[in-house]
Amino acid sequence: MRLLPDNGIFFEFVPVEELNAPRHTRHWLGNPETGIPYAVILSSNAGLWPDASRPILT
């Protein structure tokens, strides 16, 4: 997957084991650690339509 951060889309990464938690940790583009599976959360740069995608990144 190629991320294009300069197109008005904000990328956040949530650890998979925290997806169903009431409060989960969100990492920005520069913060994820390698070896941990993350779900990608895509939203507009205004935060209007956050959506969890199905690809899981490790």
Side-chain angles (χ1 to χ4, degrees):
M1 175 187 291
R2 183 175 180 188
L3 304 178
L4 300 171
D6 295 334
N7 285 347
I9 296 177
F10 189 71
F11 296 93
E12 293 178 298
F13 303 91
V14 175
V16 172
E17 62 269 2
E18 295 183 19
L19 276 178
N20 294 326
R23 301 192 96 184
H24 46 263
T25 307
R26 290 187 178 204
H27 299 275
W28 293 6
L29 192 57
N31 297 50
E33 298 176 20
T34 56
I36 298 175
Y38 290 99
V40 181
I41 309 293
L42 304 173
S43 64
S44 68
N45 53 5
L48 295 177
W49 45 266
D51 184 40
S53 65
R54 286 295 126 210
I56 303 298
L57 303 177
T58 55

